[in-house]
Amino acid sequence: MSELNTVAVKILENGKGILAADESTSTMTKRLNDVGVESNPKNRLLFREILFSSSSMTKCIGGVILYDETIRQETSKKNKIPELISKMGSTPGIKVDTGAKVLAGSPKEKITEGLDGLRDRLKEYYRLGAKFTKWRGVYIIDENFPSKLSIHSNAHALARYSSLVQECNMVPIVEPEVLMDGEHSAEDCYKKTSEVIQKCFDELILHKVDLTGIILKPNMILAGKNSKKKISNEEVAKLTLKCLKDSVPPEVPGIAFLSGGQSEFEATENLNLINKFNDTNFIMTYSYGRALQQSALKFWSKNIQNIEGTQKVFNHRAKMNTLAAQGKWSKDLEI
Ligand code: 13P
């Protein structure tokens, strides 16, 4: 197997998952302000260093996605952040897109930017210690959305990005996120997500991306946040598996879901059921941002010097998700 496949599998195997700590400065500022903490480089680093030095980094977290600011920061012990992550037994990664902007021709939709100059930025990130990368394409659902234009242009960008990342010896996370916002049914989410993922793979193949050396990061199949027709967690798991089985080529080693606005509990429960029913060869795990950090952030905000307490909250969430990634989680393990 290729070197990139080895890296991808190491990040995801044995129930390990990914901590998405790559919130941009503006998103992180919103998260910190929501819990009453001032957003400045020192506080952003303090919270993240607490997570990156917790014991679950060794046992549960196979990879961490960083933001540009963080990959350049030093810990309180004067180590570079990627060094700390590697020392803990995990793998450092980096978000490399520069955000979703209004899509010309369909202004309600977005296209992710960041391709210009990407090769040079990737070389720098590799030198700074990154072994994998992330790029997120984002799609809205409505009667008329996502449009063919959005599906095509985002798939094209994801493929050009992936090809450049592999050229620079890193594993690309391919993240096409069909948003939960809206009134759509789970059936609509299933249809649109399938179309989006299939188009991504058409483009990845056209751009000669080695599919054994990528990680797919999709949304689960859920009814819209404001849908009147909710479905059970079992149905979420079954529809998600059906969608991925029909749309993802078998060479892909692993799938790491985003949480996308689900509660921590819901994201764990759904992942657990997906793994209980998983009859594919794909590793199915987590690459959560909010669903791994929410409780820890809330706890930390009450006393930002309480490192141990915050780590305890984070370790619990990471452990629950690692059990779910093996289909071994149950409600009574929650505290
Ligand atoms: P959430 O799990 O909070 O959706 O974040 C994952 C992510 O990396 C979004 O790009």
Side-chain angles (χ1 to χ4, degrees), residues 3 9 84 119 163 187 194 199 225 228 247 268 297 330 333:
E3 212 178 294
V9 171
L84 166 66
R119 183 182 270 122
S163 176
E187 191 56 33
S194 302
K199 185 68 188 167
K225 243 192 252 168
K228 290 182 189 81
S247 309
T268 304
L297 183 63
S330 70
L333 296 169

Side-chain angles (χ1 to χ4, degrees), residues 12-23:
L12 307 177
E13 69 187 349
N14 302 325
K16 287 193 174 180
I18 298 172
L19 166 61
D22 60 324
E23 298 86 356

Side-chain angles (χ1 to χ4, degrees), residues 244-307:
L244 296 170
K245 253 200 304 202
D246 293 346
S247 309
V248 183
E251 300 94 297
V252 174
I255 294 171
F257 294 98
L258 57 97
S259 61
Q262 298 179 73
S263 70
E264 289 182 340
F265 188 84
E266 206 181 348
T268 304
E269 186 167 27
N270 285 334
L271 179 64
N272 187 57
L273 287 168
I274 288 171
N275 277 289
K276 267 195 187 306
F277 302 147
N278 186 7
D279 55 354
T280 72
N281 289 323
F282 301 125
I283 299 173
M284 301 266 188
T285 186
Y286 57 93
S287 176
Y288 292 164
R290 285 162 287 180
L292 267 175
Q293 299 181 67
Q294 234 156 41
S295 294
L297 183 63
K298 222 169 159 185
F299 183 93
W300 175 74
S301 70
K302 293 189 192 116
N303 174 4
I304 65 171
Q305 298 311 327
N306 189 348
I307 297 174

Side-chain angles (χ1 to χ4, degrees), residues 101-124:
K101 310 285 158 60
V102 173
L103 174 61
S106 183
K108 286 192 176 146
E109 297 185 287
K110 299 228 164 117
I111 177 70
T112 303
E113 294 189 348
L115 288 171
D116 287 352
L118 181 58
R119 183 182 270 122
D120 290 337
R121 289 197 293 124
L122 292 172
K123 286 182 184 157
E124 189 194 3

Side-chain angles (χ1 to χ4, degrees), residues 22 65-68 93-99 112-115 118 121-122 125 130 132-136 161 165 170:
D22 60 324
I65 316 172
L66 299 168
Y67 182 60
D68 184 78
I94 179 81
K95 185 228 301 280
V96 303
D97 67 64
T98 55
T112 303
E113 294 189 348
L115 288 171
L118 181 58
R121 289 197 293 124
L122 292 172
Y125 286 139
F132 72 102
T133 64
K134 180 187 116 172
W135 179 289
R136 171 175 174 260
Y161 140 82
V165 170
M170 293 182 282

